[in-house]
Amino acid sequence: RKEVEQDPGPFNVPEGATVAFNCTYSNSASQSFFWYRQDCRKEPKLLMSVYSSGNEDGRFTAQLNRASQYISLLIRDSKLSDSATYLCVVKRYGGSQGNLIFGKGTKLSVKP
Amino acid sequence: EAGVTQFPSHSVIEKGQTVTLRCDPISGHDNLYWYRRVMGKEIKFLLHFVKESKQDESGMPNNRFLAERTGGTYSTLKVQPAELEDSGVYFCASSPQGGGNTIYFGEGSWLTVV
């Protein structure tokens, strides 16, 4: 079983739709949680960190459920420019700063 | 300000040959990381330098891979001898000391071993 699991998609949605990404992690010692965005053949970029209380950044909302070891990302009013692969990323407790565990990513395609 | 730069951007080599990938981190960043993504798999951490010292090399797959960061500036990742399964994209990233969670990635070096 992979340490970080995501639905591979692709998710094909129309502009303006709300889309939700889910992610589960298997290591209960995981400490920090992130969503990264990766455009085709480009580098990953940090979208947002995920906190236990949940956090929001504009149209993006991230949630963490430690008991269920589950992380989510909600995108409201999706734009064409949101088309990308969304990577769920976890850092283990005690691991070095960059010792990140990546999911395989969920591809999103927003259509006009 | 320049971001993380990697060279070469693409490389095609034969099995058994040697390839050296170079990474120039953002100026002033003490932390430098290498990752790779092989075909069909997720991105995996390889190692972490703090300045010239290896802080964590738990992700290095085997002794065919050698990473160096002499002088604590740029880093090289050498694969010798390359195998077919080494094909993929190798990302370098950097972050400042005490810089929180943001890690800045380079665009990657795409390696194809034939």
Side-chain angles (χ1 to χ4, degrees), chain A residues 35-46:
Chain A
W35 285 101
Y36 274 72
R37 171 198 168 120
Q38 186 174 23
D39 292 288
C40 187
R41 297 185 74 82
K42 303 292 274 185
E43 73 276 20
K45 291 183 180 178
L46 178 65

Side-chain angles (χ1 to χ4, degrees), chain A residues 29-89:
Chain A
S30 299
Q31 176 187 33
S32 305
F33 309 89
F34 312 94
W35 285 101
Y36 274 72
R37 171 198 168 120
Q38 186 174 23
D39 292 288
C40 187
R41 297 185 74 82
K42 303 292 274 185
E43 73 276 20
K45 291 183 180 178
L46 178 65
L47 179 65
M48 58 198 302
S49 300
V50 188
Y51 303 112
S52 296
S53 54
N55 47 300
E56 188 173 309
D57 182 2
R59 298 181 293 109
F60 298 83
T61 301
Q63 299 273 0
L64 167 65
N65 184 322
R66 285 187 184 271
S68 303
Q69 295 181 197
Y70 170 88
I71 307 160
S72 66
L73 175 68
L74 187 76
I75 304 177
R76 291 182 299 279
D77 188 23
S78 52
K79 311 290 185 191
L80 297 177
S81 57
D82 294 333
S83 297
T85 296
Y86 290 82
L87 305 170
C88 178
V89 182

